[in-house]
Amino acid sequence: MSTSNTQARRQELLNQYQQIQAKTLNLDLTRGKPATAQLNLSNAMDGILQGDFKCSDGSDARNYGGGLGIPEARQFAADYLDAKTAQIMVGGNSSLQMMYQYVEGAYLHGVRGADSAWIKEATNGQRIKFLCPAPGYDRHFSICEALGIEMIPVTMDDNGPDMGSIEALLRNDPLIKGIWCVPKYANPNGVVYSADVVERFAKLGTIAGANFRILWDNAYAEHHLVDNPPELANVIALSEKYGTLDNVIVIGSTSKITLAGAGIAFIATSESNIKHFADLLGISTIGPDKVNQLRHIRFLKDLPTLRGLMQQHRAILQPKFELVLKHLNQGLAGKAVNGQTLGSWTVPAGGYFILFDTLPGMADKVVKLCAGAGVKLTPAGSTWPYKKDPQNTNIRLAPSFPSLAEIDEAMQVFVLCVELAALDAQA
Ligand SMILES: Cc1ncc(COP(=O)(O)O)c(C=O)c1O
């Protein structure tokens, strides 16, 4: 584009921007929350117990106890995570809470008794560290920040995190005690870890320092947006093969299957880890909400039933993702400013997010422009440890909660702001 054309286009976009501002929109593409229509898919769970609180082992779900979860929920979670029932603990409504409890417990009280507490190694002003494949999930990073655990970002490509640098870092630094992962439809870039990456993860326990843990947050295991979804290799089976299951904590929940605020969360790991974690949690609770576990199992029944429900979720979600992608394609594909394309974006096969990458250094500017036009986006930087996106390019788009009409309007604003930001940079 010539300079005068650039200026004319910029003025045209500015005029459109001002017209949008006059509409005082209030649109939100920030958090990956299920839409009300998705929550409604599980309405039949309400009242499903009809006074029958008896679990498969004859216990009463209403009473104290059952720190590992009720047997039928453990069996269900084992099927879901491809683990053995004895390797499962079913907890409360939030997998994030279980992750926090696990990391905090390991930090303060140890992964297998007080001698293994990570904090014991944080001597002489040294800090415990976590590897953080990035872009990643901001709430994982908040857990580390809250506990004063130093975060080391690790880059990712379409196969998953850079395993070469993870292995090298682990070989050289025994203070690295953990790594965060979202191995399937990663939040926010939708990546599914390749079979080779999963196998190398399973071997990390053989090269890491003592008490190292992989937090394998499989939050989107069944959350497909395509037919014939990609397979994720089974990290539990591979870890058993390499004798490293103690190093792996697999996490899941039904937050985006049944009810986001009232689902059930679970972990799978070695039986000895389960015992240590149960003992630790037993200090703070006399058992999880087993009534919620029981009603989940009566409602979800088995994996095929769950998969049928996930198809109903997909029917609601897929048009929303397609609409976002339509706007990106129509508004930005093939456009360039000063010979540079205006951005790139993921086309996820599942999960809850589309990751948009602006031109270097532009993400915060685009987010600010969108906010000024009434469209809230996740703050730039959120996808990186300490909220520091080194290139300032990542913008996480979360289309699940808003309606199609709202997405339509929000995405018109978004593509306009992306182009305007790029032209502003030339001005
Ligand atoms: C990767 C990931 N893990 C965990 C969660 C939260 O799960 P829960 O509701 O079970 O705490 C989310 C929610 O967005 C997520 O994206």
Side-chain angles (χ1 to χ4, degrees):
M1 238 190 261
S2 69
T3 312
S4 62
N5 280 351
T6 303
Q7 275 170 6
R9 177 66 179 154
R10 182 164 169 261
Q11 193 52 54
E12 188 186 344
L13 293 179
L14 270 176
N15 292 345
Q16 287 174 17
Y17 186 79
Q18 280 155 9
Q19 282 161 18
I20 292 167
Q21 280 184 315
K23 292 199 225 170
T24 57
L25 299 176
N26 184 14
L27 302 167
D28 191 334
L29 288 180
T30 55
R31 294 239 68 104
K33 290 200 303 192
T36 309
Q38 290 178 264
L39 301 174
N40 287 344
L41 297 173
S42 294
N43 281 352
M45 207 164 52
D46 190 22
I48 200 168
L49 296 180
Q50 296 189 357
D52 177 5
F53 297 99
K54 209 174 193 181
C55 302
S56 59
D57 61 355
S59 63
D60 186 334
R62 296 169 299 182
N63 220 328
Y64 276 141
L68 297 178
I70 63 173
E72 50 271 66
R74 294 182 76 198
Q75 177 60 55
F76 185 87
D79 293 345
Y80 183 85
L81 296 178
D82 223 343
K84 300 184 184 85
T85 313
Q87 297 167 332
I88 297 283
M89 174 196 282
V90 183
N93 73 317
S94 163
S95 63
L96 184 69
Q97 183 185 45
M98 283 184 105
M99 290 182 257
Y100 179 78
Q101 287 168 328
Y102 191 84
V103 174
E104 185 196 49
Y107 189 73
L108 294 177
H109 305 291
V111 295
R112 46 172 175 74
D115 284 349
S116 61
W118 294 341
I119 198 169
K120 291 213 157 160
E121 290 183 57
T123 50
N124 302 326
Q126 303 219 71
R127 286 165 79 192
I128 294 307
K129 298 163 200 169
F130 254 58
L131 301 179
C132 299
Y137 178 36
D138 53 349
R139 292 183 193 267
H140 286 162
F141 304 153
S142 300
I143 291 176
C144 283
E145 234 178 319
L147 293 170
I149 297 173
E150 184 179 326
M151 292 181 273
I152 304 172
V154 175
T155 55
M156 289 178 77
D157 65 19
D158 291 348
N159 292 312
D162 175 353
M163 296 310 293
S165 43
I166 289 174
E167 288 154 359
L169 284 159
L170 283 176
R171 277 199 183 93
N172 288 321
D173 192 348
L175 289 178
I176 299 173
K177 294 298 171 199
I179 180 166
W180 292 111
C181 302
V182 184
K184 189 155 189 180
Y185 310 137
N187 176 352
N189 58 8
V191 166
V192 181
Y193 292 9
S194 71
D196 176 57
V197 163
V198 178
E199 182 142 16
R200 287 170 80 174
F201 261 100
K203 290 189 212 164
L204 291 183
T206 63
I207 58 174
N211 308 318
F212 171 73
R213 292 293 180 268
I214 298 168
L215 278 297
W216 191 260
D217 181 2
N218 204 357
Y220 301 104
E222 293 287 342
H223 304 54
H224 318 300
L225 290 167
V226 294
D227 298 330
N228 306 315
E231 292 266 338
L232 178 70
N234 184 346
V235 75
I236 297 172
L238 287 166
S239 302
E240 283 178 315
K241 176 173 147 193
Y242 293 112
T244 56
L245 189 55
D246 279 345
N247 299 103
V248 181
I249 312 292
V250 177
I251 303 123
S253 80
T254 67
S255 290
K256 282 152 191 161
I257 296 172
T258 54
L259 307 178
I264 55 172
F266 28 82
I267 65 166
T269 180
S270 67
E271 288 182 51
S272 72
N273 277 350
I274 291 288
K275 184 185 175 320
H276 285 295
F277 192 41
D279 288 348
L280 185 71
L281 291 189
I283 298 167
S284 63
T285 174
I286 316 174
D289 180 349
K290 300 187 301 298
V291 173
N292 193 31
Q293 293 182 7
L294 189 58
R295 69 189 188 125
H296 267 80
I297 300 313
R298 298 251 171 96
F299 175 66
L300 290 173
K301 293 188 181 73
D302 51 25
L303 222 40
T305 310
L306 177 145
R307 289 187 173 136
L309 178 61
M310 294 315 287
Q311 284 303 318
Q312 296 179 60
H313 281 283
R314 178 182 163 191
I316 296 167
L317 287 172
Q318 198 172 335
K320 297 184 176 187
F321 277 78
E322 284 170 358
L323 186 56
V324 171
L325 294 170
K326 187 186 106 183
H327 277 284
L328 295 175
N329 281 319
Q330 288 180 355
L332 300 173
K335 275 193 190 164
V337 169
N338 228 3
Q340 285 186 298
T341 53
L342 296 180
S344 59
W345 53 90
T346 58
V347 182
Y352 263 59
F353 305 102
I354 289 170
L355 184 67
F356 185 86
D357 273 313
T358 64
L359 290 171
M362 293 269 116
D364 54 352
K365 168 98 182 162
V366 172
V367 170
K368 207 166 159 203
L369 277 171
C370 284
V375 175
K376 231 186 265 165
L377 299 173
T378 311
S382 303
T383 52
W384 284 75
Y386 306 110
K387 307 202 187 311
K388 284 191 194 136
D389 173 357
Q391 299 287 326
N392 187 15
T393 59
N394 284 178
I395 297 180
R396 189 183 80 165
L397 301 172
S400 54
F401 189 74
S403 67
L404 283 166
E406 287 169 328
I407 294 170
D408 201 31
E409 206 156 28
M411 286 307 297
Q412 287 176 42
V413 176
F414 181 77
V415 296
L416 185 150
C417 291
V418 170
E419 190 177 352
L420 188 55
L423 289 169
D424 274 354
Q426 300 303 308

